[in-house]
Amino acid sequence: MRISELSERSGIPVASIKFYIREGMLPRGAATSATRAEYGDEHLARLRVIQALSDVRALPLARVKEILTLIDEPDQTPYATLGKAVSALPPYAEETDTDRARETIERLGLTYDERFAAVAQLEAAIRGIEAAGLAWDAETAARYAGPLLQIAAAELIPLAHLSESEQVSYAVLGTAMYEPAILALRRLAHQHVLATRETDDDM
């Protein structure tokens, strides 16, 4: 397809597509002449990933590029690549003292790498919780960790049936794109539980 059709099918302006090509975020099309190129479904799929990361997750362009680079040039394992991908996702925490987070993680018996961005993210979250006057203790941590471990295990089942490159893409994009759904479902669950309680109280 021509770039104009690629733009029409993706809903992304030609100028933006050309920018993504210049920035190395989108591969160049196959040249058919000095001024024309052909694009395929792989370009359309890539544009949809870029759009999802920048629009749905509202990631800065530099962070989108980081994730795309990890998909194109992954580390040796999905585990290592996923660790880098998490650092490209908000919240962007730069905590150096992560004692509270490590204490929580170790109490829960989780395997982890101290350099994993989620450790600093957890530290920042704990500090924010306590600054707001809310509790963060072993019971609270366990209440969240139990269900989340089940979710994580279920999410990673498909990895066994994917190639190595597909595993990386699935792990990185899955982390980026499913987290907003998890947050929204949690909020809906709160609303449901509260509404159900009110109904029960009225009976």
Side-chain angles (χ1 to χ4, degrees):
M1 72 185 89
R2 299 272 299 280
I3 195 169
S4 56
E5 183 182 353
L6 182 63
S7 172
E8 183 179 345
R9 291 180 61 183
S10 66
I12 297 174
V14 170
S16 295
I17 293 174
K18 289 182 176 180
F19 173 78
Y20 295 147
I21 292 171
R22 287 196 304 272
E23 290 293 309
M25 300 167 68
L26 182 72
R28 295 185 179 277
T32 57
S33 72
T35 58
R36 293 185 179 178
E38 279 290 317
Y39 299 86
D41 289 340
E42 68 277 10
H43 293 91
L44 184 60
R46 179 72 162 214
L47 282 173
R48 286 174 175 160
V49 169
I50 293 171
Q51 192 170 37
L53 291 171
S54 58
D55 292 352
V56 178
R57 287 308 313 260
L59 297 183
L61 193 61
R63 301 293 187 172
V64 174
K65 289 177 71 173
E66 284 181 40
I67 291 177
L68 294 175
T69 299
L70 287 171
I71 293 172
D72 294 338
E73 303 169 14
D75 273 325
Q76 294 181 341
T77 66
Y79 175 86
T81 303
L82 181 60
K84 290 186 176 180
V86 168
S87 67
L89 298 173
Y92 303 120
E94 296 183 2
E95 305 292 341
T96 53
D97 178 4
T98 57
D99 289 348
R100 294 297 308 283
R102 288 186 287 108
E103 178 187 351
T104 294
I105 296 166
E106 288 164 10
R107 186 188 296 120
L108 292 169
L110 301 178
T111 301
Y112 74 105
D113 182 334
E114 290 187 8
R115 298 166 296 177
F116 191 37
V119 177
Q121 291 170 351
L122 178 59
E123 181 73 30
I126 293 171
R127 292 185 186 187
I129 288 167
E130 294 181 335
L134 299 172
W136 182 262
D137 50 29
E139 182 181 350
T140 303
R143 182 170 67 241
Y144 288 102
L148 288 171
L149 279 169
Q150 293 180 357
I151 291 172
E155 285 180 329
L156 296 179
I157 287 174
L159 289 182
H161 308 291
L162 301 176
S163 68
E164 186 171 320
S165 62
E166 289 172 333
Q167 286 182 7
V168 170
S169 181
Y170 177 87
V172 172
L173 288 178
T175 298
M177 302 313 302
Y178 281 117
E179 283 182 348
I182 293 170
L183 176 60
L185 285 170
R186 177 176 178 265
R187 291 173 176 175
L188 287 165
H190 284 162
Q191 187 179 46
H192 170 77
V193 170
L194 290 171
T196 303
R197 283 180 182 172
E198 289 178 4
T199 301
D200 290 344
D201 290 342
D202 291 339
M203 296 178 67

